[in-house]
Amino acid sequence: AAQVGGLESAKQFFSSAVIFALADLPFALFFIGVIALIGGPIAWVYVALLPLALCLGLLGQNRLRQVLARQLARGNERQGLLVDTIQGTETIRSPHSGWRFAEQWRDISRSVSDYQLQQKAINNFVTVSTATLSTLAYVGALVTGVHGIGEGNLSMGAVVACSLLGGRVIAPV
């Protein structure tokens, strides 16, 4: 039962990359094209930061994939130990060897918890880094847009539109 549940969560995790590639990435590229039509040079800000955000997302996903695989294996070990302990309760109790199984249980549970903490740390790092990139893109678009307004090539509305559309480029990554 634990293996089936673990495989379901792993399947959902791995399919999220495929969904992103098929659904979000084309729209990110589309929005960069729209930004290029409206704001011209503002699009270069997003063209420069999108690959960085993609690399960050891929690195985070690869690291999460490794941690998830180890966590799944240790979780299956823990489930197997539980089943073995329940099935052999009388054998374990007779020579007073329950301490050995309890020690194994604590060791496996500790490593599963450590993997969960690693997952949270990776998720937090990627989330904060992506938010930072999004903010940098927004500031870069505004700075580029202000120069365009100063030169008379852009209007204030075009800069606002580009900054709003720019949020749709980095955020899905």
Side-chain angles (χ1 to χ4, degrees):
Q3 287 178 346
V4 170
L7 290 174
E8 274 302 309
S9 65
K11 185 177 92 174
Q12 290 172 359
F13 174 76
F14 294 132
S15 66
S16 68
V18 174
I19 291 171
F20 167 73
L22 294 176
D24 290 339
L25 188 59
F27 281 107
L29 297 174
F30 172 74
F31 285 130
I32 288 175
V34 172
I35 291 170
L37 287 173
I38 296 172
I42 295 176
W44 289 111
V45 172
Y46 297 103
V47 168
L49 290 178
L50 182 64
L52 187 61
L54 285 171
C55 287
L56 180 67
L58 290 174
L59 288 174
Q61 187 178 33
N62 286 336
R63 183 71 181 122
L64 277 172
R65 185 176 293 157
Q66 293 168 358
V67 171
L68 182 64
R70 284 190 233 134
Q71 180 185 357
L72 184 62
R74 289 299 276 178
N76 289 339
E77 282 181 52
R78 184 171 64 175
Q79 188 73 17
L81 180 65
L82 179 63
V83 169
D84 290 346
T85 303
I86 291 170
Q87 288 178 349
T89 301
E90 288 140 20
T91 308
I92 293 169
R93 285 185 184 168
S94 61
H96 301 289
S97 61
W99 61 271
R100 187 176 65 111
F101 286 94
E103 186 64 31
Q104 284 180 322
W105 179 265
R106 280 191 293 271
D107 180 50
I108 292 172
S109 294
R110 192 176 308 117
S111 67
V112 168
S113 295
D114 289 344
Y115 289 133
Q116 289 172 343
L117 288 174
Q118 286 178 17
Q119 281 181 334
K120 288 179 183 177
I122 293 168
N123 279 332
N124 286 340
F125 174 76
V126 170
T127 301
V128 168
S129 299
T130 304
T132 302
L133 283 177
S134 183
T135 302
L136 285 173
Y138 182 74
V139 169
L142 289 179
V143 168
T144 306
V146 166
H147 287 292
I149 291 172
E151 294 172 356
N153 296 333
L154 290 173
S155 68
M156 181 64 106
V159 173
V160 170
C162 288
S163 64
L164 290 174
L165 288 172
R168 307 284 185 243
V169 173
I170 302 291
V173 177

